[in-house]
């Protein structure tokens, strides 16, 4: 990445990074927080990478769009705050959050959810007998307004372009390039 000298360069980088995220038909986000790593998310990450590499011609179908080729990407994510429910796997653009994922669940997730958009109910967050597909639907999260950690669990914390794509560094850019 080239050094950013002005607002225009930052805006161009943001547009390119956002386009890359938006054009990826499937993002498999594996939590890389301490609790999830202790629970085996590192091995889950490796297995999902293997499955994507082994299936370069897989058709990924979410709604009316079908992706051909290697349009699935495996990424690490930050901890969304469900350490006791980890390891966590989030499938985008569906927004599906799987909890307490084990290494042996990877093949099923890839086959059912990644390839066919099917939800695996036993891996969903369950509270009082109610299953929640998306993080945003979970009662304790529904009441929260996240500002600083808004994208935690949704982007790769080791990829600055993904942070920039989600409006990261805009305040710094304003201070550096437009304020006196």
């Amino acid at each position: 990445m080239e050094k950013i000298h002005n607002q225009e360069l930052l805006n161009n980088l943001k547009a390119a990074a956002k386009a890359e995220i938006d054009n990826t038909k499937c993002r498999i986000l594996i939590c890389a927080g301490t609790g999830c790593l202790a629970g085996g998310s590192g091995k889950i990450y490796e297995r999902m990478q293997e499955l994507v590499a082994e299936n370069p011609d897989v058709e990924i179908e979410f709604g009316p769009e079908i992706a051909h080729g290697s349009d699935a990407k495996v990424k690490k994510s930050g901890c969304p705050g469900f350490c006791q429910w980890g390891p966590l796997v989030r499938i985008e653009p569906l927004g599906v959050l799987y909890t307490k994922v084990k290494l042996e669940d990877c093949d099923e997730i890839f086959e059912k959810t990644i390839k066919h958009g099917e939800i695996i109910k036993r891996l969903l967050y369950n509270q009082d007998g109610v299953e929640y597909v998306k993080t945003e639907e979970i009662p304790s999260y529904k009441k929260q307004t996240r500002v600083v950690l808004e994208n935690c669990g949704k982007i790769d914390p080791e990829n600055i372009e993904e942070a920039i794509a989600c409006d990261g560094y805009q305040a710094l850019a304003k201070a550096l390039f437009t304020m006196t």
Side-chain angles (χ1 to χ4, degrees):
M1 178 173 73
E2 75 176 271
K3 190 172 181 179
I4 299 169
H5 297 285
N6 58 48
Q7 185 71 46
E8 183 181 2
L9 287 172
L10 180 64
N11 292 343
N12 291 342
L13 177 60
K14 176 184 172 182
K18 185 166 178 13
E20 183 173 335
I21 290 171
D22 291 345
N23 292 329
T24 301
K25 299 296 181 191
C26 177
R27 289 168 37 96
I28 306 162
L29 296 155
I30 315 294
C31 178
T34 306
C36 287
L37 283 171
S41 70
K43 298 272 187 211
I44 292 166
Y45 176 81
E46 290 171 7
R47 179 63 185 142
M48 284 300 194
Q49 283 187 312
E50 289 171 5
L51 288 167
V52 168
E54 290 169 6
N55 294 278
D57 296 325
V58 70
E59 288 187 1
I60 301 165
E61 185 172 347
F62 294 132
E65 293 186 17
I66 297 177
H68 297 280
S70 57
D71 270 346
K73 293 189 179 176
V74 182
K75 297 282 197 169
K76 295 176 184 173
S77 77
C79 176
F82 282 111
C83 298
Q84 71 277 19
W85 290 96
L88 303 172
V89 174
R90 183 178 173 112
I91 310 297
E92 291 293 349
L94 294 176
V96 174
L97 176 70
Y98 287 138
T99 62
K100 297 188 178 185
V101 176
K102 296 181 175 74
L103 183 59
E104 54 268 20
D105 296 325
C106 292
D107 289 53
E108 182 181 11
I109 292 170
F110 192 83
E111 184 62 34
K112 290 183 177 176
T113 307
I114 306 303
K115 289 171 100 175
H116 302 291
E118 181 183 331
I119 306 298
I120 304 168
K121 292 185 182 251
R122 68 178 174 77
L123 294 174
L124 296 176
Y125 179 86
N126 187 311
Q127 182 178 328
D128 300 324
V130 178
E131 296 160 339
Y132 297 92
V133 174
K134 299 180 179 193
T135 305
E136 299 78 17
E137 297 171 348
I138 297 170
S140 60
Y141 262 52
K142 207 176 203 180
K143 297 175 186 175
Q144 296 178 24
T145 301
R146 290 180 163 220
V147 178
V148 175
L149 298 176
E150 174 184 10
N151 294 306
C152 194
K154 299 176 185 175
I155 63 171
D156 182 347
E158 296 178 350
N159 185 315
I160 195 168
E161 286 88 356
E162 288 196 19
I164 291 170
C166 297
D167 289 329
Y169 299 94
Q170 291 299 315
L172 175 63
K174 181 177 178 183
L176 292 174
F177 304 130
T178 63
M179 298 177 81
T180 58

